[in-house]
């Protein structure tokens, strides 16, 4: 204990209990230590962090399931279009997608009027892979996939063209960006 007046001597070192302060996006260091936690009213949390929605456990499981589905599809293609691996990957991918965004949003995405052609080719390819015609099924799935996500590709190519400042690639991405429309 430290006396308040005269010569300051320390007889026994008292340790101040340290508590961990919660990390916010505004902080630059990864771990902060303070003698006492800050009151909630003094913490500055950015507006974007306050309005973010949390990820549910089902969505986390869906991300893992989708990742395993993509892995099995790529592994099945690597092993000369193994029909069992491709079928398992397709089922995991579709299950994971429905776990991430929900069943209602999955059905509303796939069965929009302007996406019915892509949906029919994609789901038809899944059925044909399940019937053990893997090469034909994957060709139909690929065509359906590009028809379903053709509006997204222009946005992705525009983002990549602005992100990477490599002369040839940025010119290629800008050219690919203008080929498709969102509507």
């Amino acid at each position: 204990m430290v006396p308040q007046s005269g010569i300051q001597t320390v007889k026994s070192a008292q340790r101040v209990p340290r508590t961990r302060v919660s990390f916010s996006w505004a902080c630059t260091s990864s771990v902060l230590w303070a003698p006492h936690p800050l009151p909630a009213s003094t913490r500055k949390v950015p507006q974007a962090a306050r309005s973010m929605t949390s990820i549910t456990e089902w969505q986390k499981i869906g991300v893992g399931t989708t990742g395993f589905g993509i892995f099995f599809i790529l592994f099945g293609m690597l092993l000369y279009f193994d029909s069992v691996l491709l079928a398992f990957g397709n089922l995991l991918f579709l299950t994971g997608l429905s776990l991430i965004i929900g069943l209602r949003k999955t059905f509303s995405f796939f069965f929009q009027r302007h996406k019915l052609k892509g949906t029919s080719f994609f789901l038809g390819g899944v059925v044909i892979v399940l019937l053990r015609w893997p090469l034909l099924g994957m060709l139909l799935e690929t065509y359906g996939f590009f028809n379903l996500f053709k509006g997204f590709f222009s946005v992705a190519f525009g983002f990549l063209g602005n992100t990477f400042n490599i002369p040839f690639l940025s010119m290629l991405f800008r050219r690919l960006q203008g080929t498709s429309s969102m509507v």
Side-chain angles (χ1 to χ4, degrees):
M1 194 157 162
V2 179
Q4 295 295 327
S5 62
I7 300 174
Q8 297 181 356
T9 59
V10 177
K11 291 185 180 178
S12 65
Q14 273 188 334
R15 291 189 160 232
V16 177
R18 292 183 175 195
T19 57
R20 194 174 187 147
V21 176
S22 65
F23 176 74
S24 70
W25 292 102
C27 298
T28 56
S29 64
S30 59
V31 177
L32 297 175
W33 292 94
H36 300 287
L38 297 173
S41 62
T42 60
R43 284 187 221 139
K44 292 190 177 183
V45 179
Q47 179 65 29
R50 276 185 256 148
S51 65
M52 290 176 53
T53 59
S54 62
I55 298 174
T56 65
E57 294 297 318
W58 287 107
Q59 288 173 331
K60 291 177 186 176
I61 293 170
V63 168
T65 308
T66 304
F68 277 118
I70 291 171
F71 169 75
F72 279 112
I73 289 172
L74 293 176
F75 194 56
M77 288 170 52
L78 183 70
L79 293 176
Y80 299 112
F81 292 96
D82 183 30
S83 61
V84 175
L85 289 174
L86 291 174
F88 191 60
N90 284 330
L91 293 176
L92 284 176
F93 177 76
L94 291 174
T95 303
L97 184 67
S98 63
L99 286 174
I100 291 172
I101 63 175
L103 283 175
R104 181 173 290 150
K105 289 183 181 178
T106 302
F107 283 120
S108 68
F109 172 76
F110 277 109
F111 295 108
Q112 293 176 7
R113 190 157 190 77
H114 64 282
K115 292 184 179 180
L116 282 178
K117 181 180 175 184
T119 300
S120 62
F121 275 100
F122 184 76
L123 295 179
V126 170
V127 169
I128 290 177
V129 166
L130 288 173
L131 294 175
R132 294 191 180 244
W133 288 73
L135 188 59
L136 179 63
M138 287 305 293
L139 287 174
L140 290 175
E141 276 185 52
T142 304
Y143 180 72
F145 181 82
F146 283 119
N147 274 333
L148 280 172
F149 295 104
K150 65 183 170 187
F152 174 72
F153 290 134
S154 64
V155 175
F157 288 141
F159 173 75
L160 290 174
N162 291 333
T163 303
F164 299 116
N165 221 2
I166 302 170
F168 174 73
L169 288 179
S170 61
M171 181 183 65
L172 177 70
F173 287 143
R174 273 192 234 114
R175 186 171 292 166
L176 288 173
Q177 177 188 7
T179 59
S180 178
S181 66
M182 285 293 287
V183 179

